Amino acid sequence: GIGGGGGGGGGDLGDIAALVYLLVAYPQVGVPVVIIVIVAAIVQRARNPERTTRRAVGRLEEMDRPDTSALAGIKERDPGFDEGAFLARFGRLETAVQEAWARGDMARTRPLLSDGLTRRFETQLAIMRRQGVRDALADHRILESRIHAVETDSHFDTIHVAVRAEARDTEVAASFSFDEATATARKAPLRPYAEIWSVLRRPGVKTLQSEGAFGAQCPNCGGALPASQSTRCEHCKALVNSGDYDWVAAEITQPEEWRPGSTGQVPGLDELSARDPGFNRQAAEDRASYLFWRWIEALVGADAKPLAKCATPELRARIAEQVKAGPAALHKVAVGAVDLMAVAAGEEGGRDLVYAKILWSSARSNKDAAFPSAHVLVLGRRAGAKDDGGLSHARCPSCHGPLTENDSPKCDYCGENLSAGDADFVLDDVKRPEEIRVARSAGDAADGAEEMASRWIPDMGSRRERNLLLMRMAAVVVADGQITRAERKLLSACAKRWSVPLEVVEPILTGAVPADVSDTMKPSNPSGFLAGLVAAALVDGRIDSREDKLLRGVGKDLGLDDAAVQVMIDSMKARAKALQSVRVGR
């Protein structure tokens, strides 16, 4: 286990008595000594390792303060934009989505949502149906909505809307009709909830003067939209949920987990954007979200069919082998964040690669607590392919036909082999963050700890990532079957430094978490995990003696000798300035 030491003694009272004696008997000596002691105590308090780490974490969180200044630019480009009218329209969108969710059919809201968000809802509904339940909702009412933050770049304007609402919400049997479910929900207590919705639109798009029947009219030509799988207008052929013509909801986040977009410098993004001007962060993240939910659906359904048209044959074969043992026990699946981490532009004949980190959580059953996870989705496509950069990608990139649910990797309309990734990104792999090595280019095999991009280390500005890091440390601690007092003290110290409640690891330490769940939290790449832990310790620019002891103890539990740990510490210390200058993990 992690080694630790005690300390402390009973000499404090004696020291105080000595100072008092000096003050009374020899004030000319005692007064300066007391002043020096007080100044030293103040300096020591200011330099206290726990305080400096908490301050550093706090500064990272401060970087996520909402900013609405970009709203002025939207109004300048779109004189018809009115904040009150926008929020009223958003209210109708949110209400329409809530009703569609309660009915268990998201078809009517597809024009209003990105494909990634639609797939999230449809997958969650499919999982609930397999588990024999459905959600019941009644008396939904928005209490307040306001613009929380605004972001803009050359590809999209993004408005984050904070909403407070209330509803009666409960679970009923899947066999219940909508009316029966609603009647049951009316007996449930009225509970408030809060969310932040992110809606996107291309810069330069003008506010619609008339929207007709909400969600049933093409924002480009005004023609009627059919309630079907397709988001392509039958009249003008526009992809109505692409963000090219109107606002589209792309993400829903809990307020405590909301953060601004991945606005830092994403390695490789500029290079690929120069080759493919349509490629952009927002669409790549939405594509990653879409593929994540397809992956989850395959695991829960014990069938690789959901990945037939959007994953490589190699990955589908691995998933098919994995699910032979039966469906994965994934309940209450929720995504906290999807962040584009790195991009590698491929050479001719190779592949462009996109790395997106997904922070998510799930429980083994609806009665169990949910535990966090982090994975990196590796997306690939043929180098040289071009992207239209929109948010509508649940369709064939060649003929724009909707993707049907079957085992064939080909488009049912034009025969394009979609799983090859010749025209759009498909899922190449799913890995743990510490397993990732980002190549300098897609044809380059990066190797070694020095090649690990700083963006793969934990983002200490994210409470979810700090929680997960502490839980993974706890999983390492309990691996040897015993938890010492020193190990508990060190975990407690980390919890204080990172402003994380120690309670999050208690189920792991007490054995309340099943062994197979705890096993999934253990690092699959010890060196990579330790590198992230060292970087977390360096959040305030230094590693103090207690952190040094922690790192060596964790390294020992991971099977790394002291020399290997020291090499890692020295390497990461040398890069400390670079790590501090980048929004790590974003």
Side-chain angles (χ1 to χ4, degrees), residues 400-480:
H400 291 172
L403 301 184
T404 52
E405 301 285 343
N406 56 40
D407 291 320
S408 173
K410 295 182 178 181
C411 172
D412 290 356
Y413 301 93
C414 70
E416 171 90 15
N417 182 6
L418 302 174
S419 69
D422 287 338
D424 201 356
F425 284 98
V426 296
L427 191 59
D428 276 14
D429 210 346
V430 181
K431 291 180 174 288
R432 296 281 193 88
E434 68 268 15
E435 295 173 333
I436 292 293
R437 294 293 185 271
V438 181
R440 299 180 187 90
S441 69
D444 203 8
D447 194 19
E450 69 278 5
E451 292 295 340
M452 184 181 297
S454 63
R455 307 179 78 81
W456 299 121
I457 67 177
D459 179 358
M460 298 303 286
S462 165
R463 179 175 294 273
R464 180 183 281 261
E465 289 219 49
R466 298 198 303 270
N467 282 356
L468 180 57
L469 185 61
L470 192 68
M471 294 176 80
R472 298 190 74 186
M473 283 176 56
V476 171
V477 166
V478 301
D480 61 1

Side-chain angles (χ1 to χ4, degrees), residues 275-356:
R275 295 189 194 181
D276 177 10
F279 180 82
N280 63 83
R281 172 181 59 83
Q282 295 93 332
E285 289 177 347
D286 196 69
R287 178 68 173 171
S289 177
Y290 173 84
L291 294 174
F292 169 82
W293 287 107
R294 283 291 189 183
W295 174 62
I296 291 293
E297 196 168 349
L299 295 179
V300 173
D303 189 346
K305 186 169 69 175
L307 293 169
K309 292 178 169 61
C310 59
T312 62
E314 294 78 12
L315 180 63
R316 295 201 311 276
R318 292 209 305 272
I319 296 295
E321 187 64 29
Q322 180 182 346
V323 299
K324 277 184 178 179
L330 295 173
H331 296 252
K332 299 192 288 191
V333 181
V335 170
V338 180
D339 281 331
L340 181 64
M341 309 306 296
V343 177
E347 300 173 354
E348 186 176 353
R351 286 171 76 77
D352 297 329
L353 298 178
V354 164
Y355 301 83

Side-chain angles (χ1 to χ4, degrees), residues 79 116 149 186 207 271 308 344 470 531 567:
R186 289 199 178 100
T207 295
E271 181 184 354
L470 192 68
V567 168

Side-chain angles (χ1 to χ4, degrees), residues 222-405:
L225 295 174
S228 67
Q229 278 192 318
S230 177
T231 54
R232 188 172 178 83
C233 175
E234 295 178 347
H235 309 282
C236 68
K237 308 306 179 185
L239 290 168
V240 295
N241 72 333
S242 62
D244 291 343
Y245 310 99
D246 197 8
W247 295 105
V248 172
E251 192 171 4
I252 305 172
T253 312
Q254 297 302 305
E256 63 272 14
E257 294 187 347
W258 177 86
R259 313 189 71 196
S262 320
T263 53
Q265 287 297 314
V266 176
L269 177 58
D270 290 344
E271 181 184 354
L272 185 56
S273 296
R275 295 189 194 181
D276 177 10
F279 180 82
N280 63 83
R281 172 181 59 83
Q282 295 93 332
E285 289 177 347
D286 196 69
R287 178 68 173 171
S289 177
Y290 173 84
L291 294 174
F292 169 82
W293 287 107
R294 283 291 189 183
W295 174 62
I296 291 293
E297 196 168 349
L299 295 179
V300 173
D303 189 346
K305 186 169 69 175
L307 293 169
K309 292 178 169 61
C310 59
T312 62
E314 294 78 12
L315 180 63
R316 295 201 311 276
R318 292 209 305 272
I319 296 295
E321 187 64 29
Q322 180 182 346
V323 299
K324 277 184 178 179
L330 295 173
H331 296 252
K332 299 192 288 191
V333 181
V335 170
V338 180
D339 281 331
L340 181 64
M341 309 306 296
V343 177
E347 300 173 354
E348 186 176 353
R351 286 171 76 77
D352 297 329
L353 298 178
V354 164
Y355 301 83
K357 183 159 68 173
I358 315 284
L359 298 178
W360 61 291
S361 59
S362 67
R364 292 191 73 203
S365 76
N366 284 328
K367 296 180 180 179
D368 292 330
F371 290 95
S373 298
H375 283 87
V376 174
L377 268 57
V378 184
L379 282 56
R381 73 171 182 187
R382 175 181 56 82
K386 302 296 182 184
D387 198 332
D388 61 19
L391 302 172
S392 180
H393 36 245
R395 38 82 187 172
C396 173
S398 297
C399 72
H400 291 172
L403 301 184
T404 52
E405 301 285 343

Side-chain angles (χ1 to χ4, degrees), residues 62-122:
E62 281 292 305
M63 293 172 68
D64 289 336
R65 297 175 94 179
D67 180 7
T68 60
S69 59
L71 187 62
I74 294 177
K75 292 179 177 178
E76 184 177 343
R77 293 191 301 273
D78 178 14
F81 180 90
D82 176 79
E83 190 170 332
F86 170 82
L87 289 173
R89 192 161 185 260
F90 165 78
R92 294 194 294 276
L93 184 156
E94 198 266 0
T95 299
V97 170
Q98 294 291 350
E99 182 177 349
W101 170 261
R103 290 185 177 277
D105 182 3
M106 306 304 299
R108 181 54 68 185
T109 61
R110 284 189 65 103
L112 312 173
L113 310 178
S114 72
D115 281 342
L117 189 54
T118 294
R119 178 48 54 181
R120 163 184 161 176
F121 286 129
E122 290 180 342

Side-chain angles (χ1 to χ4, degrees), residues 489-517:
K489 286 179 66 176
L490 288 172
L491 286 170
S492 178
C494 285
K496 289 180 181 177
R497 291 175 184 225
W498 300 344
S499 299
V500 171
L502 186 62
E503 289 75 19
V504 302
V505 300
E506 280 302 324
I508 298 174
L509 299 180
T510 59
V513 176
D516 58 336
V517 175

